[in-house]
Amino acid sequence: MKFSELNLSFELNRAIEELGYTEATPVQAQCIPPVLEGRDVIGQSQTGTGKTAAFGLPLLEKLVVLDKRTPQILIMTPTRELALQVSQELRKFAKYKEGVKIVTVYGGDPITGQIRDLKGGADIIVGTPGRIQDHIDRRTLKFHQLKALVLDEADEMLKMGFKEAIEQILQDLPEERQTLLFSATMPKAILDITNNYQNNPVHIKTKQKEMTVNSVEQVVYEVNQGEKVKVLVQLMEYYRPESSMIFCNTKKMVDDLSGLIASKGYSTASIHGDMKQEMRSLVMAKFKDKKVQHLICTDVAARGIDIDGLDMVFNFDVPQETEYYVHRIGRTGRAGKSGISVTLVTPRQRYVINELERLTKATIDRKEMPSLNDIQAVRFDHMTTDIMKTLKADIPVEIKTLVEKLVDQGLNPIQLSEALLYKVIGADIFVEAQKPIEKQRRAQRINSSTIELDVGLKHGIAAAHLVSAIAEASGISGKDIGKIRIQDRYSHVEVPQEFVKEILDALNQGTIKSYKVKAFEISARNTAKPKHKDYPKTFRPKR
Ligand code: ADP
Ligand code: MG
């Protein structure tokens, strides 16, 4: 259905046109007429289907700004991010409708600024339940003129524990009002609200679920927990999204991963529930404006937030509540565009894949990890495109002169290109391709050997000193160091036999706690407790 068939005013149609909407989505086509008529509506449709306009347009259409500005429309959302997003969207719709004032209120933001905004008067309030209630209690918000209430993402609000706050707010609103409720799911708790607070509502349920998820290509990779970070980095290389969201289940993982991904040269930012509200808003704005390419986040950012041109969603962790999977992957493939979602699943979580397929009514592609050669090939492709682009650019004359000079000095242009490309691409990927990371310096643990060092308790030696000295000397992991016994004047350490020579060489050249040490092998068997006779005569410890 075209927007022009929906009897909206010229002002709104003009704004809609500017936003590039031509067809109304099903939930819009079905909700707009009854809302215009003043009916109560329950709108049930998946995320990304255009619910904001489904209530926003008809409510704005009917809004007549009062001489003394007083809130006439109240929209409640579960999170601050959503409140801000809904306000922004409504402002765009109202661009050509004179004098509509929208104020957003939410927790985590200093209340004084909000009070000042509210004193200036508002026609529409968008906010989170807790803070709205706070303002009602302080009498900084009065709803005696309220005409319409919207509960956006009602199921989520209940999940977040806003039931009481919502019910208390509802008590304070005039009974003569229109109540609209939007939700992706309709659990019983929501039906209770509609029964108690809506008046003969029209229930609109659209089957847009398939549409949203069908535009997302879903892929899973099975990986061991310990390899997830490495795999994620490789997949980022392979898919090369311009913009992606990476979802983790814990704040700590978000922090850890942000650092790691950033250290690989990606432009990243992160969001989780422990961050101050101003910070979260700032980060979100930066991400939406494409000032950062990759957002690493917990589910705080999953629900309802709309981002233009998001190519990919990575589920670094499978969400604990599988329902969130749909919300997460719904961030990409919005409004008719296609997107990819990549989920890392550990072998133990394999069973979840079927559940996710049932939930999304789609098949999920179980893929093998691309080989390092595939990743390399993608990198080369990318590089070739870059070089082609550069060839077309105006290359400064200084560069040309430099090349001439190098060639004059006898450098052949092919060698020169090879050297430059090697420098740009970096040696690391070739090294990686030769030896898988997990095998790197991990001992076989088949044969171990005990070495003795001539430092002990008297020298203030603790196990940590020995472990770090050996690890540093040889590059083996602390995990590969076996039993450690520290005596008064000497210590014994069990180490993988294959590294003994290297370890001894390094230890004999270095110091531990600034003691110059003598280290030697005493046994080539797996003995944590060497027998006295195992020692070479000259070094036999005094008993
Ligand atoms: P929901 O609340 O159902 O999750 P939103 O209202 O956030 O969905 O809308 C999702 C995206 O679709 C937004 O970017 C919005 O601008 C866009 N959109 C909404 N309606 C239309 C339409 N009729 N045509 C094109 N894009 C639309
Ligand atoms: Mg929404």
Side-chain angles (χ1 to χ4, degrees):
M1 189 186 263
K2 296 246 183 304
F3 278 104
S4 48
E5 293 168 55
L6 285 166
N7 291 324
L8 296 171
S9 62
F10 168 75
E11 288 84 359
L12 290 184
N13 272 316
R14 189 172 164 198
I16 294 166
E17 212 167 287
E18 258 182 34
L19 284 169
Y21 301 1
T22 44
E23 303 272 320
T25 65
V27 71
Q28 291 163 356
Q30 291 178 56
C31 287
I32 292 175
V35 177
L36 282 174
E37 268 175 45
R39 298 279 310 262
D40 281 2
V41 170
I42 304 173
Q44 188 180 352
S45 79
Q46 275 306 313
T47 189
T49 53
K51 292 191 285 291
T52 318
F55 62 79
L57 290 172
L59 289 180
L60 278 168
E61 178 73 37
K62 296 201 305 175
L63 176 71
V64 181
V65 174
L66 299 170
D67 286 345
K68 187 175 183 315
R69 229 182 258 283
T70 313
Q72 297 187 66
I73 298 172
L74 169 63
I75 301 165
M76 286 200 257
T77 67
T79 65
R80 324 150 213 232
E81 281 82 8
L82 267 172
L84 287 164
Q85 184 174 304
V86 168
S87 312
Q88 276 166 12
E89 194 98 338
L90 292 183
R91 285 194 187 105
K92 288 185 198 157
F93 298 150
K95 184 169 170 191
Y96 297 105
K97 187 169 165 124
E98 288 282 306
V100 178
K101 212 174 142 215
I102 302 169
V103 170
T104 323
V105 295
Y106 43 80
D109 195 40
I111 201 161
T112 44
Q114 292 176 1
I115 292 172
R116 208 178 318 119
D117 288 347
L118 290 172
K119 280 223 173 95
D123 309 296
I124 303 178
I125 304 291
V126 185
T128 50
R131 186 51 69 94
I132 290 170
Q133 199 185 6
D134 202 349
H135 280 292
I136 293 176
D137 293 347
R138 289 167 185 255
R139 306 195 175 280
T140 42
L141 255 179
K142 294 187 187 120
F143 288 117
H144 54 285
Q145 292 283 12
L146 193 84
K147 306 281 185 307
L149 165 72
V150 181
L151 301 172
D152 192 17
E153 309 259 4
D155 49 352
E156 192 62 10
M157 286 200 279
L158 294 192
K159 250 195 215 156
M160 291 175 67
F162 284 137
K163 185 164 196 285
E164 245 177 49
I166 293 172
E167 286 185 331
Q168 285 213 359
I169 293 167
L170 279 158
Q171 318 255 308
D172 279 327
L173 303 181
E175 276 191 23
E176 274 295 305
R177 57 150 208 269
Q178 193 174 6
T179 305
L180 312 177
L181 182 147
F182 288 85
S183 189
T185 58
M186 279 294 148
K188 183 171 173 307
I190 302 258
L191 292 174
D192 289 348
I193 290 196
T194 76
N195 286 339
N196 290 337
Y197 299 101
Q198 281 189 308
N199 182 10
N200 187 23
V202 189
H203 191 158
I204 285 155
K205 187 173 172 178
T206 66
K207 284 224 176 66
Q208 263 178 295
K209 188 172 192 164
E210 278 85 339
M211 193 194 85
T212 326
V213 168
N214 270 352
S215 58
V216 181
E217 183 190 335
Q218 300 177 58
V219 182
V220 296
Y221 290 95
E222 192 177 302
V223 282
N224 292 323
Q225 186 67 31
E227 287 175 16
K228 276 187 176 178
V229 172
K230 184 188 83 187
V231 164
L232 177 74
V233 171
Q234 289 179 345
L235 291 173
M236 287 181 76
E237 282 273 356
Y238 183 68
Y239 286 98
R240 292 197 163 270
E242 296 232 325
S243 171
S244 78
M245 281 174 96
I246 302 168
F247 284 98
C248 304
N249 287 357
T250 62
K251 294 159 192 163
K252 175 154 187 337
M253 198 63 232
V254 167
D255 283 340
D256 291 354
L257 201 55
S258 310
L260 276 161
I261 303 284
S263 76
K264 299 280 172 192
Y266 288 100
S267 122
T268 67
S270 58
I271 286 196
H272 57 61
D274 271 1
M275 286 163 61
K276 279 250 171 67
Q277 176 48 32
E278 297 96 89
M279 198 57 201
R280 274 160 63 176
S281 307
L282 212 77
V283 171
M284 208 60 204
K286 263 167 98 180
F287 184 58
K288 282 191 175 184
D289 291 350
K290 303 271 176 284
K291 288 189 183 117
V292 285
Q293 285 181 287
H294 306 281
L295 184 70
I296 298 151
C297 53
T298 55
D299 282 305
V300 162
R303 183 86 188 221
I305 298 295
D306 185 50
I307 292 134
D308 271 345
L310 184 69
D311 309 332
M312 282 190 79
V313 166
F314 288 98
N315 292 302
F316 184 81
D317 297 312
V318 175
Q320 258 135 22
E321 275 183 71
T322 42
E323 215 177 272
Y324 270 97
Y325 178 77
V326 182
H327 299 310
R328 289 180 178 186
I329 74 169
R331 301 306 91 218
T332 181
R334 309 267 286 177
K337 290 186 207 106
S338 62
I340 303 176
S341 92
V342 164
T343 305
L344 305 187
V345 172
T346 62
R348 285 173 55 195
Q349 294 171 329
R350 209 176 284 158
Y351 70 94
V352 172
I353 305 173
N354 292 331
E355 198 181 325
L356 299 179
E357 286 184 319
R358 225 174 314 121
L359 208 65
T360 55
K361 297 199 178 70
T363 35
I364 301 181
D365 209 354
R366 294 144 170 89
K367 284 202 181 166
E368 293 285 321
M369 263 311 276
S371 69
L372 287 168
N373 284 338
D374 294 341
I375 296 169
Q376 225 173 57
V378 171
R379 235 198 244 193
F380 289 167
D381 273 358
H382 199 76
M383 182 124 315
T384 314
T385 323
D386 268 4
I387 292 175
M388 291 319 214
K389 264 194 225 147
T390 315
L391 282 177
K392 287 195 194 121
D394 279 335
I395 293 175
V397 68
E398 289 82 358
I399 298 279
K400 296 190 171 181
T401 322
L402 181 62
V403 172
E404 270 165 34
K405 213 166 114 192
L406 289 169
V407 172
D408 280 349
Q409 284 170 6
L411 249 178
N412 134 358
I414 295 205
Q415 284 174 336
L416 182 59
S417 317
E418 283 170 357
L420 287 175
L421 277 180
Y422 187 54
K423 195 164 159 52
V424 173
I425 293 173
D428 56 325
I429 72 167
F430 303 106
V431 175
E432 265 176 44
Q434 282 158 13
K435 91 176 156 195
I437 293 174
E438 65 269 44
K439 295 252 169 66
Q440 219 177 353
R441 309 243 73 172
R442 280 309 300 265
Q444 305 292 311
R445 279 249 173 213
I446 297 170
N447 290 316
S448 65
S449 182
T450 302
I451 59 169
E452 178 170 317
L453 297 96
D454 64 350
V455 283
L457 297 172
K458 282 242 159 80
H459 308 92
I461 294 294
H465 298 124
L466 300 176
V467 171
S468 62
I470 291 171
E472 216 167 275
S474 63
I476 71 170
S477 146
K479 279 190 213 125
D480 285 329
I481 296 173
K483 292 199 177 130
I484 298 176
R485 287 208 312 159
I486 305 174
Q487 306 291 15
D488 275 356
R489 296 168 182 284
Y490 66 95
S491 313
H492 288 163
V493 184
E494 197 181 284
V495 297
Q497 187 150 33
E498 59 197 291
F499 296 125
V500 167
K501 199 180 158 335
E502 250 174 283
I503 293 172
L504 291 180
D505 282 352
L507 289 178
N508 284 321
Q509 278 166 37
T511 57
I512 298 179
K513 281 202 84 189
S514 74
Y515 289 105
K516 192 133 183 44
V517 294
K518 250 195 226 128
F520 49 90
E521 188 175 10
I522 54 167
S523 132
R525 275 181 292 128
N526 188 1
T527 68
K529 262 193 189 166
K531 300 203 175 75
H532 197 254
K533 68 173 169 48
D534 290 336
Y535 295 91
K537 265 207 177 84
T538 39
F539 293 114
R540 244 175 233 175
K542 292 188 187 85
R543 293 219 224 188

